[in-house]
Amino acid sequence: MPPKPRRKRSFGGLRQLPSKRWQANYTAPDGLIYNAPHTFDTSLDAEAWLAAERRKISMDLWVPPSEALVKPVTFGEYSYRWLEDRPLKPRTRQHYQAILDSLLLPTFEDVALKHLTPASVRRWYTDQGASRPTYRAHAYGLLRTILGTAVTDEIISSNPCTIRGAGASKRAVKIKPATLPELEAIVAGMPERLRLMVLLASWCGMRFGELAELRRQDIDLKHGVVRVRRGVTRVKGQVVIGTPKTTAGIRDVAVPPHLLPLVEAHLNEHTAPGREALLFPADDGTSNLATSTLYRAYYPARAAAGREDLRWHDLRHTGAVLAAQTGATLAELMGRLGHSSPAAALRYQHVARGRDAEIAEALSRIARGE
């Protein structure tokens, strides 16, 4: 039977061993983790020992115990503290915890940070295989970031993550943007109250979480913009409303003029009164739309358009490519899509440039009088 997990505490940690006795430890002012010299009958006894050690520290009376009691900081202990101290969005925190639990801790949990080497990291990376390249890249990137912080904290002298390019992954499936006739077919196949959602996702490049939290007050028909200020996510079944993932996500998106009459009609016919009314609520009219509800309508609509491969997020990709085809600069694409780095926006520009051969062929048809 494995030991029970450590209790989350403001100072130190407690863990019940298989013997039912309790173990206690804490991180001292010198950055090292010290275990109690013995185990305890009850958690209260262990907490009393921790309280005594904390009192010594607060009164500046603490001195390091003998070297025999020093326990090197393990990756498991350090990553737990790293995640707790990091100011992360709930969805990102959940993602990092899942990566730790499934890919990193099974190998590195009990390994002392100072014993991690480039060779051991390379062996772990190789053992992951190539079946899930994106997830492996995310895991390597997280490992490299955590150990980079350990270097900053002077716990280790150098970062053992030295595999070039391991934190990046190639897209497993090449996205094929929707054509305008396909978009038209998808919109026609959606319930009326959700048609504008498809149009804003594709023509304005908005994320699902941004659309699901869009409210009447966020629409400025006079200036023709949608003000993106919030997003909604679901973390372990709980609805979480907050700011977009990055500061760049807070933006005003100009609505193409041909959509403005449709936006106004949607506000009149499918949006409740009041500034706080959701544009695309769930069936009850007041709570945020869930992805499962959307997919029940979207999957048949995309099938009718002959695009069963088109994920909802690919509509945003379609909108980005359409914007790039207008000649939008990299900075303009970043602003419109809410990207904080050029990498993603640059990808859409590359896709747009890929049409050069089609343009050349069209020019030849003009020359031939076709």
Side-chain angles (χ1 to χ4, degrees):
M1 178 180 176
K4 291 185 178 180
R6 292 178 176 82
R7 287 187 183 180
K8 180 180 176 183
R9 302 175 49 82
S10 59
F11 176 79
L14 298 180
R15 182 174 68 168
Q16 190 175 29
L17 301 173
S19 64
K20 303 300 183 183
R21 293 182 63 79
W22 288 84
Q23 185 182 64
N25 61 37
Y26 63 93
T27 302
D30 59 6
L32 297 177
I33 294 178
Y34 291 88
N35 281 335
H38 53 78
T39 57
F40 302 92
D41 291 330
T42 68
S43 62
L44 291 177
D45 293 335
E47 288 174 349
W49 179 81
L50 283 175
E53 294 298 299
R54 185 175 188 179
R55 193 176 304 111
K56 293 176 185 177
I57 293 172
S58 64
M59 298 176 66
D60 203 23
L61 298 175
W62 181 87
V63 293
S66 66
E67 291 297 320
L69 298 179
V70 177
K71 176 186 176 185
V73 180
T74 66
F75 176 80
E77 293 161 336
Y78 188 79
S79 64
Y80 174 82
R81 296 203 307 272
W82 182 92
L83 195 59
E84 283 296 303
D85 295 341
R86 207 79 170 180
L88 301 171
K89 295 287 184 180
R91 190 73 172 269
T92 303
R93 186 177 301 279
Q94 181 187 36
H95 179 56
Y96 284 176
Q97 187 65 65
I99 290 176
L100 282 167
D101 292 342
S102 61
L103 294 186
L104 295 178
L105 292 179
T107 300
F108 298 123
E109 181 171 15
D110 296 323
V111 179
L113 289 178
K114 65 181 182 180
H115 293 156
L116 282 169
T117 64
S120 63
V121 171
R122 196 178 306 111
R123 191 180 312 114
W124 163 83
Y125 184 80
T126 301
D127 289 345
Q128 300 311 306
S131 60
R132 295 190 297 172
T134 301
Y135 205 47
R136 179 174 70 166
H138 288 181
Y140 180 86
L142 179 59
L143 177 64
R144 181 179 58 198
T145 301
I146 293 173
L147 295 179
T149 308
V151 173
T152 303
D153 290 344
E154 299 183 350
I155 297 176
I156 55 177
S157 59
S158 62
N159 194 326
C161 294
T162 58
I163 307 173
R164 181 170 296 179
S169 64
K170 293 183 178 179
R171 193 178 293 275
V173 179
K174 187 174 181 180
I175 298 173
K176 177 185 174 185
T179 65
L180 296 186
E182 287 169 349
L183 278 178
E184 185 178 356
I186 291 172
V187 171
M190 294 290 287
E192 286 190 9
R193 69 185 185 90
L194 295 177
R195 288 177 179 175
L196 182 65
M197 195 174 189
V198 175
L199 293 169
L200 293 179
S202 52
W203 287 100
C204 295
M206 295 180 64
R207 301 175 176 92
F208 169 80
E210 296 168 347
L211 290 164
E213 176 51 22
L214 206 57
R215 298 174 185 269
R216 184 183 285 273
Q217 65 184 356
D218 302 315
I219 307 300
D220 184 349
L221 287 174
K222 180 180 178 181
H223 297 96
V225 298
V226 174
R227 306 194 190 284
V228 181
R229 298 295 183 269
R230 300 169 311 284
V232 60
T233 58
R234 279 177 167 77
V235 180
K236 297 181 179 179
Q238 299 297 315
V239 174
V240 179
I241 297 173
T243 56
K245 186 175 181 180
T246 64
T247 304
I250 300 174
R251 63 200 190 279
D252 292 350
V253 183
V255 180
H258 74 280
L259 291 186
L260 288 175
L262 301 177
V263 174
E264 186 173 11
H266 182 91
L267 291 173
N268 292 333
E269 299 170 15
H270 302 292
T271 306
R275 290 169 48 82
E276 295 290 332
L278 290 164
L279 263 69
F280 311 108
D283 291 337
D284 63 7
T286 56
S287 57
N288 294 98
L289 183 71
T291 53
S292 57
T293 303
L294 173 67
Y295 293 160
R296 282 198 295 270
Y298 178 65
Y299 288 164
R302 72 177 185 181
R307 287 302 308 271
E308 292 186 330
D309 62 308
L310 195 71
R311 301 168 303 176
W312 176 265
H313 192 72
D314 296 342
L315 294 176
R316 171 172 156 84
H317 182 101
T318 298
V321 173
L322 288 171
Q325 288 173 356
T326 68
T329 66
L330 184 60
E332 288 167 341
L333 279 178
M334 289 175 61
R336 185 167 181 81
L337 300 172
H339 285 147
S340 57
S341 69
L346 192 59
R347 182 168 67 243
Y348 302 125
Q349 284 193 324
H350 287 165
V351 173
R353 291 192 191 111
R355 292 182 65 250
D356 195 43
E358 299 175 25
I359 294 170
E361 175 62 29
L363 291 171
S364 290
R365 287 198 297 270
I366 293 173
R368 292 192 297 266
E370 296 178 9

